[in-house]
Amino acid sequence: MSDAKPNLSPLQDIPAGIANLADFEAHGQAAVAPEHWAYLNGGAGDEITLRANRSAWDAIQLQPRVLRDLAGGHTRSELLGRTLAHPILLAPIAYQRLAHADGELASAYAAAAQQAGMVLSAQSSIPMEAMAQAFHDEPSSGPLWFQLYWRDDRDFMLQLLRRVEAAGFQALVLTVDAPVHGARDRERRAGFQLPAGIRAVNLGGIKKPLNLQPGQSELFDGLMPRAATWAEIDWLRTHSALPLLLKGANHPEDAREAVARGVAGLIVSNHGGRTLDTLPPTAALLPRVRAAVGPELPLLVDGGIRRGSDVLKALALGADAVLLGRPYIHALATAGALGVARALRLLRDEFEIAMALCGCKTLADIGPAQLWSDESDAGFTRSGGP
């Protein structure tokens, strides 16, 4: 592992006419090889869940309050003992050098500059130490967490945990909804393969061979016996002092079990529609998970977030923060670090506008009362809200 600090490429101009996150998509697609775009932007099966993630946020209507004194309002909040300037983080996305030569490093510098948090994918194409340094160089940056996939090699996992801790990451995020890859048709049609020079640089070592017997299933007899169970949740909590969040534990019973096991938080996620198609959108899953875990457990959500009004809707449904996914990859492909920074700034500005127009001075004012309903308000109530 090299100790050299990577540098960003010369900064690129942002194309004219970028007014919102959706405007980056066409520019990003034009800058990326078609097979790489199929990997970065595609979903599982018929991509029903991928589309539903977006349409579900669109379907939620807002119910503003007016004539409120909003002077001195702000977007600050507390999450895992840290003050956030705003509740927006970058979701873990693998192999970002497929989108831009600077890959995750550009995303990290942009996030740090915009006071956003970031969850670094275990399958990052940039060393974790360089990513952490980008955040350490910016005192006002948001939180930096490391996303894990379980590997059935506890010596390797211990080494990885020690390295994550030494680099200065502040939490672990274990993805639990993808013990195997989804059937991603768009990706397979495009013939996607990782190109030479791009790999998961933080995941060294050699995976154990499956050693299957004749007639055994590669999936059920080979891969699934190595997948994480609740016992591995206990093991991770025992072997690292970092807070542990689970990403993708969306069933209310699983959410309650996670609380009983002492996890620090949950991320409501259907993997951006990339694992099991026809799952409900995260906007539908979120309030059920919040109801299951109660008001105190930190809860984040991803999937389909495109507008600042989506961020407000997510908080009104019970989230403490949101994670931005594909749109920042579109921005990365378009203009590197400056593109990601612009995307984050646009989303934050839109969120502040939505708060002001809904009569919310702080995040504590955001709750079910901001959502239009033909029925009486019910469900999650944020402490201090209306």
Side-chain angles (χ1 to χ4, degrees):
M1 180 178 63
S2 172
D3 292 328
K5 181 179 176 180
N7 295 314
L8 293 177
S9 305
L11 296 180
Q12 301 168 242
D13 292 333
I14 296 174
I18 298 289
N20 58 48
L21 269 61
D23 289 338
F24 282 106
E25 185 166 356
H27 294 285
Q29 184 171 5
V32 174
E35 63 273 20
H36 297 173
W37 187 258
Y39 172 81
L40 293 167
N41 215 50
D46 298 309
E47 301 188 343
I48 293 168
T49 296
L50 188 158
R51 294 189 297 273
N53 274 346
R54 175 65 234 139
S55 61
W57 296 116
D58 286 340
I60 298 171
Q61 295 177 300
L62 293 170
Q63 181 170 252
R65 297 293 302 276
V66 299
L67 299 176
R68 291 185 165 187
D69 181 4
L70 304 182
H74 60 79
T75 60
R76 293 189 299 275
S77 65
E78 299 292 322
L79 186 64
L80 297 185
R82 184 185 180 113
T83 300
L84 276 63
H86 56 81
I88 302 169
L89 296 83
L90 297 185
I93 296 179
Y95 306 120
Q96 292 185 26
R97 287 185 59 220
L98 293 170
H100 190 279
D102 293 334
E104 292 86 355
L105 191 65
S107 300
Y109 275 111
Q114 292 297 323
Q115 299 179 287
M118 182 174 184
V119 185
L120 179 66
S121 170
Q123 296 172 317
S124 167
S125 49
I126 299 288
M128 69 173 75
E129 291 79 8
M131 306 294 299
Q133 190 60 51
F135 271 72
H136 299 333
D137 288 345
E138 181 54 67
S140 63
S141 66
L144 179 63
W145 301 345
F146 190 86
Q147 178 254 354
L148 296 168
Y149 287 101
W150 180 258
R151 182 182 288 187
D152 189 26
D153 182 338
R154 298 198 175 193
D155 289 338
F156 169 81
M157 293 298 295
L158 275 175
Q159 293 172 15
L160 184 63
L161 291 176
R162 299 292 88 83
R163 187 177 166 194
V164 168
E165 293 163 354
F169 288 78
Q170 295 126 28
L172 301 171
V173 175
L174 180 69
T175 293
V176 297
D177 66 339
V180 296
H181 288 297
R184 300 199 284 259
D185 294 352
R186 193 196 312 193
E187 181 181 318
R188 293 188 293 188
R189 291 188 189 106
F192 171 76
Q193 291 184 332
L194 278 176
I198 297 181
R199 61 185 181 88
V201 298
N202 297 304
L203 299 180
I206 300 173
K207 292 184 179 180
K208 301 175 185 177
L210 295 181
N211 294 325
L212 295 172
Q213 300 300 313
Q216 285 189 311
S217 163
E218 180 177 341
L219 178 61
F220 289 108
D221 298 309
L223 295 175
M224 296 314 295
R226 301 182 179 188
T229 67
W230 290 109
E232 280 66 49
I233 305 305
D234 297 338
W235 186 91
L236 285 168
R237 293 197 61 247
T238 299
H239 288 85
S240 178
L242 292 178
L244 174 65
L245 297 91
L246 303 188
K247 181 173 179 286
N250 302 322
H251 193 287
E253 290 300 322
D254 290 334
R256 283 189 279 266
E257 180 70 16
V259 172
R261 300 273 178 165
V263 303
L266 296 174
I267 299 175
V268 176
S269 173
N270 53 34
H271 219 94
R274 290 172 61 81
T275 53
L276 180 61
D277 200 17
T278 70
L279 288 176
T282 51
L285 294 167
L286 173 59
R288 294 185 179 218
V289 175
R290 174 53 80 188
V293 301
E296 301 301 325
L297 187 79
L299 197 59
L300 297 86
V301 65
D302 67 11
I305 300 291
R306 297 291 185 275
R307 288 284 191 177
S309 54
D310 299 336
V311 181
L312 188 145
K313 292 171 185 178
L315 270 59
L317 290 172
D320 295 290
V322 305
L323 292 97
L324 183 65
R326 288 178 179 87
Y328 87 84
I329 298 301
H330 302 162
L332 174 66
T334 298
L338 281 183
V340 179
R342 172 69 68 84
L344 285 166
R345 186 71 247 184
L346 286 169
L347 190 63
R348 182 179 179 182
D349 288 347
E350 287 186 3
F351 176 51
E352 292 185 0
I353 292 168
M355 285 180 62
L357 292 177
C358 283
C360 299
K361 186 173 182 177
T362 70
L363 270 58
D365 296 324
I366 302 174
Q370 278 72 50
L371 304 180
W372 174 262
S373 174
D374 292 330
E375 303 173 357
S376 59
D377 291 333
F380 169 73
T381 301
R382 193 178 300 277
S383 176

